[in-house]
Amino acid sequence: MDSNNNHYSPSSTSSTPHPTTTTDPVQSWWETVSKARSRILSLSSIIPSHASSSSFSISSLADSDRPAISFLSSPDAYSLISSSLSSPVSGSGSDPLCQWLYDTYLSSDPNLRLIVLSFLPLLSGIYLSRIHSSDSSSAPSLAGFEAVLLAIYSSEVKSRAGKPVVVQIPHLSQPSLYHTPRNKPHKSQVQAPSTGVLSPPLEPQIAIKSTKRPVIVGVALDCYFKHISQMPSWSKVEMCRFAASWAGQDCACQDKFDEFDDADYFLEGRNVMISSNEIEDNSGISESQPKGVRIPLPWEILQPLLRILGHCLLGPMNTQDAKDAASVAVRRLYARGSHDLVPQAILATRSLIQLDKRTRETAKATAANSSSNANTPAKAKKPEILLVSK
């Protein structure tokens, strides 16, 4: 679906970025709090409290000294917004929630922008799943979702300033922290590091066309990855669950690296591989149905997606729910890459699976040692004899 009218104009109530002239830190802080409260109260008028089965009200978050952070860390707020975004009629150009997300991302407050990014897994997941579903021709307009994605993409275009994202790849003939070359090269033979392009320069876009969709969604996912350490656990779990669904149905290939392992090591009391669609995070958000459908996974989308999964899998501060969800998704993507014969996907996912296995084996061994040490009685110390010289 190509959309030509899929972007909003900032509303008169939104806080568009502009340089602040206030030098008083207290006044600047109060202005930030006031703007955040205004944005949250405007959302409460869009999604009234009776939309939720609980007694939670979004407007209650506006009373906090840090309203944007309180919103970001509230599982009730996330659940309430998620229900509205998941509605069958959501995502249209007239969707007030999409307008709110669009206006909020244009805010100068970075914490408000984090709120919008926390819903990116759900928004992009629903958007791509609807685009590629069998009945997409009869689906309602998704101009609202596309406007939010374009806002994130346009912000990234501006920040990159027409430059590509590159990485310096050192030559193996040069020593590093990880190796020392056997034969030291002569000065005349010194190899300069090569440059790899992770992302080419971005072009401004005013609409999401089918040919540009992977790039725009991929850039939005990359922006999410840049701030992933500030994302709540339920947002990360949401991303992992969509990634598993995008990869396709269960396949025996995903268990290839777990065939000869101890059955209890990977599960750790959680039937992860069998109940991959029933992952429940600490927020209490749980669904028994798959989060999305199988979709095309070009490298523009798969590359940032694998970075996100790598963080969820190996980040030391992540919850066990996020690690388990990422473990399922990585194995599904390995199976998908094996069937599609995509070398980059096979190498990347296989490496993540091996790292996941080693991490879990180490954790299991550490837990076993701690348990054995706790059950081993400590030897009684011999009484110390003090020698007093006469």
Side-chain angles (χ1 to χ4, degrees):
M1 178 182 66
D2 297 341
S3 177
N4 296 321
N5 298 315
N6 57 358
H7 62 281
Y8 299 119
S9 296
S11 67
S12 58
T13 59
S14 65
S15 302
T16 55
H18 60 278
T20 57
T21 57
T22 304
T23 57
D24 185 359
V26 176
Q27 184 178 355
S28 176
W29 169 82
W30 178 248
E31 289 179 355
T32 301
V33 171
S34 299
K35 291 178 181 178
R37 288 177 175 175
S38 175
R39 295 305 303 157
I40 293 176
L41 290 176
S42 66
L43 178 62
S44 64
S45 63
I46 298 173
I47 304 178
S49 58
H50 61 73
S52 173
S53 58
S54 65
S55 58
F56 171 77
S57 175
I58 289 180
S59 59
S60 62
L61 300 174
D63 298 331
S64 170
D65 292 338
R66 304 173 69 189
I69 297 299
S70 298
F71 190 109
L72 185 65
S73 58
S74 171
D76 293 322
Y78 187 88
S79 179
L80 196 59
I81 304 302
S82 297
S83 298
S84 297
L85 286 176
S86 303
S87 170
V89 297
S90 64
S92 65
S94 59
D95 188 343
L97 180 55
C98 291
Q99 174 75 63
W100 185 89
L101 292 171
Y102 177 87
D103 290 337
T104 302
Y105 196 77
L106 298 181
S107 168
S108 58
D109 185 354
N111 292 327
L112 285 175
R113 295 162 69 93
L114 289 178
I115 292 176
V116 180
L117 288 177
S118 70
F119 291 102
L120 181 63
L122 180 62
L123 188 147
S124 60
I126 295 175
Y127 171 71
L128 291 177
S129 298
R130 290 183 183 177
I131 284 290
H132 296 288
S133 62
S134 57
D135 57 347
S136 59
S137 57
S138 59
S141 169
L142 300 177
F145 287 161
E146 293 178 341
V148 179
L149 291 171
L150 277 173
I152 300 174
Y153 175 84
S154 300
S155 175
E156 194 66 13
V157 170
K158 184 178 180 180
S159 65
R160 294 189 187 183
K163 298 179 181 179
V165 178
V166 299
V167 59
Q168 297 294 328
I169 306 174
H171 198 273
L172 293 179
S173 63
Q174 301 299 314
S176 69
L177 293 173
Y178 307 101
H179 84 293
T180 301
R182 294 181 179 179
N183 300 320
K184 294 184 178 181
H186 192 268
K187 291 183 178 180
S188 60
Q189 300 176 339
V190 174
Q191 298 286 341
S194 58
T195 301
V197 179
L198 293 179
S199 176
L202 300 178
E203 300 175 355
Q205 303 292 334
I206 60 174
I208 298 185
K209 299 181 179 180
S210 57
T211 55
K212 299 296 183 181
R213 184 179 297 120
V215 175
I216 293 173
V217 174
V219 168
L221 292 177
D222 185 66
C223 190
Y224 178 87
F225 172 73
K226 291 179 181 179
H227 302 279
I228 195 169
S229 62
Q230 299 169 279
M231 294 293 105
S233 62
W234 42 86
S235 176
K236 299 176 185 179
V237 171
E238 195 95 65
M239 185 76 266
C240 295
R241 295 177 65 190
F242 269 112
S245 296
W246 290 345
Q249 299 299 320
D250 290 338
C251 174
C253 298
Q254 69 181 13
D255 302 329
K256 177 179 178 181
F257 297 99
D258 303 311
E259 291 177 352
F260 306 105
D261 292 338
D262 180 8
D264 295 331
Y265 125 76
F266 177 71
L267 303 181
E268 295 181 355
R270 302 164 179 262
N271 202 2
V272 179
M273 297 304 295
I274 298 176
S275 304
S276 60
N277 291 325
E278 298 178 359
I279 297 173
E280 181 173 354
D281 59 79
N282 294 331
S283 67
I285 303 171
S286 175
E287 297 182 14
S288 59
Q289 298 298 324
K291 294 296 294 184
V293 299
R294 189 182 190 274
I295 67 170
L297 289 173
W299 188 242
E300 291 86 351
I301 292 179
L302 190 57
Q303 185 184 49
L305 186 60
L306 289 173
R307 292 178 189 166
I308 294 171
L309 293 178
H311 168 89
C312 295
L313 199 63
L314 305 172
M317 302 302 293
N318 288 328
T319 64
Q320 192 62 44
D321 297 298
K323 294 179 180 179
D324 290 343
S327 187
V328 173
V330 166
R331 284 163 169 78
R332 294 272 187 89
L333 288 171
Y334 171 78
R336 171 70 178 273
S338 299
H339 286 287
D340 294 350
L341 299 179
V342 182
Q344 303 101 311
I346 295 174
L347 290 173
T349 52
R350 181 171 179 170
S351 298
L352 288 175
I353 292 173
Q354 297 288 6
L355 289 171
D356 178 40
K357 288 179 58 179
R358 293 172 186 172
T359 301
R360 292 176 183 269
E361 288 171 352
T362 301
K364 182 182 178 182
T366 302
N369 292 335
S370 300
S371 177
S372 61
N373 292 337
N375 296 330
T376 303
K379 294 183 180 180
K381 294 183 178 180
K382 294 182 180 180
E384 296 181 356
I385 301 176
L386 299 178
L387 298 179
V388 181
S389 59
K390 294 182 180 180

